[in-house]
Amino acid sequence: MDLAACKTLDADDGNSAKPLIPSPGIVSPLYQEVVYSGQPQPLEARAEVDVPLEVIYYPSPTARWFDEDRYDEVPVNTGVYYAKIRRPSWNGYAQGEDVEAEYHIKKATVEIIAEGIQRAAYNGDPKRVVASAEPDVPLSFSYYPNANAARAAIRALAQPDADARSGVSAALSGLRRVERAPIEQGAYYVVVYFPGDDNHNLAYREVVFTIGPPARRN
């Protein structure tokens, strides 16, 4: 008998399978909120150990349950996304059960930048309020010669209730408004307004705008 070819029953030949380490737990929050930025914003997914994770996004809890209608890309637009964090087997770690998370992308705030009191000198040409927005969104300008009445109505524009805003719009429609940038001398109450959209909140800025006498020539 070739004793060199024999192995003892309790000898370790180095080929026996090593037990897998349990998948590390997820430590990132399972409810997260971010603000719309115009760029893809992935859900933060972190485990107790630095292992690769996969995040899948769905439009509803039902879609997540049945693993259907998944989004192909990281979300950009505002809304509620239902995520599934997958923990694949990796480098000695066992595959873990999927972990569910809820992800909200909220509307961004628009800042309208304009001096509250602006003046211009009459010269027969239209005069416009100077304003800009951050981020850059289209702005509308409404010029009201009846400053006091317009001011009272505009105060309610920031109401979050849609019916309240609709009532304000109706009230403003009954006031005389200069449809274009004014030419004549006088004091105007100006509303610089952004109505909001799918990804941005409503914003407005009030400006008192005076067109005064022509500049004197020396």
Side-chain angles (χ1 to χ4, degrees):
M1 177 181 292
D2 185 0
L3 297 178
C6 295
K7 298 181 180 179
T8 60
L9 294 177
D10 59 348
D12 184 0
D13 62 6
N15 294 322
S16 57
K18 295 181 180 179
L20 293 175
I21 305 170
S23 181
I26 299 299
V27 296
S28 51
L30 300 183
Y31 178 93
Q32 297 181 31
E33 291 182 350
V34 296
V35 176
Y36 172 80
S37 68
Q39 301 296 323
Q41 298 187 87
L43 176 86
E44 179 191 6
R46 289 183 292 107
E48 296 170 318
V49 178
D50 187 15
V51 297
L53 302 171
E54 180 186 5
V55 180
I56 305 170
Y57 304 90
Y58 300 87
S60 69
T62 302
R64 179 173 60 189
W65 175 263
F66 289 104
D67 192 22
E68 59 186 16
D69 298 330
R70 63 171 65 179
Y71 293 109
D72 294 328
E73 298 178 349
V74 173
V76 175
N77 294 320
T78 59
V80 181
Y81 300 86
Y82 298 88
K84 183 185 293 183
I85 303 173
R86 286 194 166 159
R87 299 178 288 170
S89 59
W90 178 81
N91 198 26
Y93 287 95
Q95 178 175 334
E97 293 185 358
D98 294 341
V99 176
E100 296 180 349
E102 189 172 319
Y103 187 41
H104 293 241
I105 299 181
K106 304 178 72 175
K107 288 188 176 184
T109 297
V110 173
E111 180 185 7
I112 297 178
I113 304 164
E115 294 291 337
I117 298 176
Q118 299 187 27
R119 296 180 176 85
Y122 173 82
N123 65 358
D125 294 329
K127 300 300 178 184
R128 295 174 176 82
V129 162
V130 177
S132 61
E134 179 59 43
D136 187 16
V137 294
L139 299 175
S140 64
F141 297 79
S142 296
Y143 297 83
Y144 295 91
N146 188 345
N148 291 333
R151 184 189 300 270
I154 291 298
R155 292 294 183 184
L157 269 178
Q159 294 293 328
D161 182 66
D163 291 336
R165 293 201 302 271
S166 177
V168 172
S169 298
L172 288 175
S173 66
L175 297 175
R176 187 167 73 88
R177 180 176 63 182
V178 179
E179 296 295 339
R180 299 179 180 178
I183 297 175
E184 301 301 325
Q185 297 184 52
Y188 298 85
Y189 181 73
V190 184
V191 180
V192 185
Y193 182 60
F194 172 67
D197 59 23
D198 290 342
N199 293 312
H200 301 89
N201 288 312
L202 171 153
Y204 76 98
R205 181 82 165 90
E206 303 164 282
V207 177
V208 176
F209 184 48
T210 303
I211 300 178
R216 293 183 178 181
R217 295 182 179 180
N218 294 329

